[in-house]
Amino acid sequence: MSVVIIGGNECMVRNYKVLCEEYNCKAKVFPKQNSSLKGIGNPDLLVLFTSTVSHKMVQNALREIKGQDTKVVRSHTSSISALKNILNSI
């Protein structure tokens, strides 16, 4: 399963990827918006950490996956335990 994480803390990027590997998921993490989010692709799951991401970045991410069969999960906290709970529920 492929997972894209939008937002979160820059220092936690490696931890997010390691946790996703434990759940047999391949993860891409975008803690900040570069010029665009063209590298999202066609993920199975899009995780939006809403407390650490701008409204514009959320809109851009949702625009990139429009028309795809991607499950979107929003979480106010960007902790490892929040990501673990999301992955457990999927």
Side-chain angles (χ1 to χ4, degrees):
M1 182 165 88
S2 61
V3 178
V4 172
I5 300 171
I6 305 292
N9 299 317
E10 288 183 66
C11 60
M12 297 289 288
V13 169
R14 181 70 187 139
N15 294 335
Y16 296 147
K17 288 183 179 183
V18 168
L19 180 64
C20 287
E21 287 174 5
E22 291 176 10
Y23 284 86
N24 296 323
C25 299
K26 186 174 180 182
K28 290 183 185 178
V29 183
F30 297 91
K32 296 194 295 189
Q33 182 169 359
N34 299 332
S35 59
S36 67
L37 296 172
K38 297 289 184 189
I40 287 180
N42 188 7
D44 297 315
L45 175 66
L46 176 66
V47 178
L48 298 169
F49 288 137
T50 57
S51 65
T52 57
V53 68
S54 69
H55 186 71
K56 182 179 179 181
M57 192 169 172
V58 170
Q59 288 177 332
N60 288 343
L62 293 175
R63 188 178 314 118
E64 287 296 318
I65 64 161
K66 187 175 183 179
Q68 299 175 8
D69 189 28
T70 302
K71 182 174 172 86
V72 178
V73 178
R74 297 172 191 246
S75 174
H76 186 67
T77 61
S78 57
S79 64
I80 288 292
S81 62
L83 181 59
K84 187 180 284 189
N85 289 337
I86 291 169
L87 293 174
N88 280 332
S89 69
I90 300 301

